[in-house]
Amino acid sequence: MKSIKAVSYPVHFQEKGYEELSNLISNKNYSTLFILADENTFECCYPKFIPNLKTDIRIEVIEIESGEINKNLETCAGVWNAITELGGDRKSLVITLGGGVITDLGGFVASCYKRGIDFVNIPTTLLSMVDASVGGKTGVDLGVLKNQIGLFANPEMVIVDTNYLETVTEREIKSGTAEIIKYGITYDSKLFYEIKNNKGLDIKDLIFRSIEIKNEVVLQDPKEQNLRKILNFGHTLGHAIESFYLESEDKENLTHGEAIAIGMVCESYISEKLLGFPTEKVLEVKDVVLSIYDKIDLLKEDFSAILELLKHDKKNVNGQVNFVLLNDFEDYKIDCKVPVDLIIESMEFYNN
Amino acid sequence: MKSIKAVSYPVHFQEKGYEELSNLISNKNYSTLFILADENTFECCYPKFIPNLKTDIRIEVIEIESGEINKNLETCAGVWNAITELGGDRKSLVITLGGGVITDLGGFVASCYKRGIDFVNIPTTLLSMVDASVGGKTGVDLGVLKNQIGLFANPEMVIVDTNYLETVTEREIKSGTAEIIKYGITYDSKLFYEIKNNKGLDIKDLIFRSIEIKNEVVLQDPKEQNLRKILNFGHTLGHAIESFYLESEDKENLTHGEAIAIGMVCESYISEKLLGFPTEKVLEVKDVVLSIYDKIDLLKEDFSAILELLKHDKKNVNGQVNFVLLNDFEDYKIDCKVPVDLIIESMEFYNN
């Protein structure tokens, strides 16, 4: 599978990635490799990864606790202290080996350590392969607010190796699928209908196509001034719902994909009411989502807390929540204001 | 006084700065201004600043505790939470009003908030005017290790208004003077001899010349690959000494300038021994330093702790401490390795 040249770094697939990583390491003359993993990826992915790494350079593994709840500044401080204690310097390379928490946090940690050291992302979940791997967004959460602290910073390269997907659960695969559906809805309706009709799709092809799309979008608008905002479709309400479940101690957390899937159903409905997005397509989006994900009951009494969390969306200006909505598949409108009543109605539409 | 065009932003002097700030605010259509100050600058500088600010936009003041000890990630988290609670968004502007702690920390906070919002620096101490105001370095300390976490990030503009110097102590003025001496030694020996001969120098001229020099250096080497390392003269050992006094609970902290002044004496001595830097110039450097700063007794029993702290210098690679040393005034050599015995000898030279 050929490599994709992203904004200012390449995405390499399968074994080609490790060859290129070895080249990078010898060309750049790094002093130490710091591999950032969590307890799961250290157990399951590290043994797959390490035989591919041909180098004599010192390797140190830094393990953090898995889970979105640990994607925060305290974890960053722990990693920074660990790198410091292990003798990190400006010629150190950070290799992230994990899902979106690891790649987002690791990229941020590397970009701020001694004003910036190199990093390479090796996503091990479907979600991080199709979403976190391209685009240069790094960051951590502030309390329950997702990715409030972070940077645009590019890795030296990304390695996508689908062998790591053998290590993740069905639920995690589904979480990544939501982003692929999003690429279909917003940028490539053919892809959407392929998923809807589910004709023996090869996961490698879906990943390649998703990265191609994200890359096309990001190349045109790296700093998210306009077109890139389509990648937020489903995420405005989706992030608020995800944060709400994260902060609710009596509720099981949703995966990112589960929350975003609900967000896409709601925002399709809002698009219909405000922009005339076709009714039959709203229903198709809902059908596809419910064919993949278990139905969640959004409780009426929780609506106000979810609406409150919307106020912290990064796209907001002057306290106004800005949605990206759809005129049709592949046809978007940014910076849409949505009446609160309609947001509530959209969650009821999802529920019913 | 004319403005200086820095790497990618202007430095404006005196009242011209406020005119340009008002223009910036109306051109960029900011949603909110967050003014970051400490308890001292809020009391003494804010009343001087606010009458100059012509705008109807909402202004929020965020006050942090003064002092190097608070230049850390906990303070950043507090400011990020405050901005969030006060409804900050991507169109917010952070204005830093203070010394190097405020401008370094505030620039870092702004650059990481929602992946980056604009900031303007208004340095209020001599040190921050001649050092922190130009060059795009932002950051905070990790434990006692100075500026370990940070970024290269440019403010929209810097305003240098010497009226703020009325608010600072004699000791703080002296702290800034060390950096001006450094510019003289490393880049403009005429400036060094003017300070040495102390002929009624105008502080405004010294500031202007210092910023001009720093800007010339940074323009040629923004990411500190080579020439910019001259700005670290005196700082390798100076930072270690500063950190040592910061972590020693039974010793009074040194100002940055006091520590760097000692560092410059020691590193001049090392330059003499390793590179043949002229002996009479070593003595001139020591004379100038001791004519301005009280002598500090570096205790023999503290040497090993200071040497230990050297290991975390940001210029180090592979555990090797890299000094920038002098062949002569205005003639430097980067990446010099120095035997431990010679470092100790240099501290003894300072002591005697």
Side-chain angles (χ1 to χ4, degrees), chain A residues 29-32 73-74 76-77 80-81 84-85 87-91 104 108 111-116 136-139 142-143 145 147-152 223-224 229 311-319, chain B residues 29-32 73-74 76-77 80-81 84-85 87-91 104 108 111-116 136-139 142-143 145 147-152 223-224 229 311-319:
Chain A
N29 196 23
Y30 292 115
S31 58
T32 312
L73 289 163
E74 291 71 42
C76 292
W80 281 320
N81 279 314
T84 301
E85 280 158 25
D89 58 37
R90 282 184 172 161
K91 294 291 286 177
D104 284 6
F108 179 66
S111 305
C112 295
Y113 187 70
K114 302 195 183 215
R115 298 205 186 87
K137 285 188 176 180
T138 73
L142 186 68
L145 302 178
N147 304 320
Q148 289 278 299
I149 308 305
L151 292 173
F152 288 100
K223 288 293 178 77
E224 198 171 304
K229 292 187 183 178
K311 290 188 185 157
H312 300 291
D313 191 84
K314 288 192 289 302
K315 297 184 300 305
N316 296 355
V317 173
N318 276 319
Chain B
N29 196 23
Y30 292 114
S31 58
T32 311
L73 289 164
E74 291 71 43
C76 291
W80 281 320
N81 278 315
T84 302
E85 280 158 25
D89 59 39
R90 283 185 171 160
K91 295 290 286 178
D104 284 6
F108 179 65
S111 305
C112 296
Y113 186 70
K114 301 194 185 214
R115 298 204 186 88
K137 285 187 177 179
T138 73
L142 186 68
L145 302 178
N147 304 321
Q148 289 277 302
I149 307 306
L151 293 173
F152 288 100
K223 289 289 178 80
E224 199 171 306
K229 292 187 182 177
K311 290 187 187 158
H312 301 291
D313 191 85
K314 286 190 291 302
K315 296 184 299 306
N316 297 354
V317 174
N318 275 322

Side-chain angles (χ1 to χ4, degrees), chain A residues 242-262:
Chain A
E242 187 181 0
S243 294
F244 174 72
Y245 277 78
L246 198 61
E247 74 178 6
S248 301
E249 286 176 9
D250 59 332
K251 292 184 163 63
E252 199 197 345
N253 291 346
L254 299 182
T255 66
H256 179 70
E258 286 162 354
I260 269 44
I262 300 172

Side-chain angles (χ1 to χ4, degrees), chain B residues 147-190:
Chain B
N147 304 321
Q148 289 277 302
I149 307 306
L151 293 173
F152 288 100
N154 289 326
E156 296 302 300
M157 68 169 64
V158 176
I159 299 173
V160 175
D161 178 352
T162 49
N163 289 311
Y164 296 118
L165 295 179
E166 296 160 11
T167 68
V168 305
T169 62
E170 178 69 19
R171 192 176 176 203
E172 281 176 310
I173 295 286
K174 284 185 178 178
S175 180
T177 306
E179 296 290 345
I180 303 176
I181 295 170
K182 180 194 74 182
Y183 294 126
I185 294 173
T186 55
Y187 201 82
D188 181 0
S189 55
K190 188 166 156 282

Side-chain angles (χ1 to χ4, degrees), chain A residues 34 48 153 177 185 204 260 268 301 316:
Chain A
F34 289 97
K48 287 175 185 278
T177 306
I185 294 174
K204 283 189 196 172
I260 269 44
S268 294
E301 68 234 43
N316 296 355

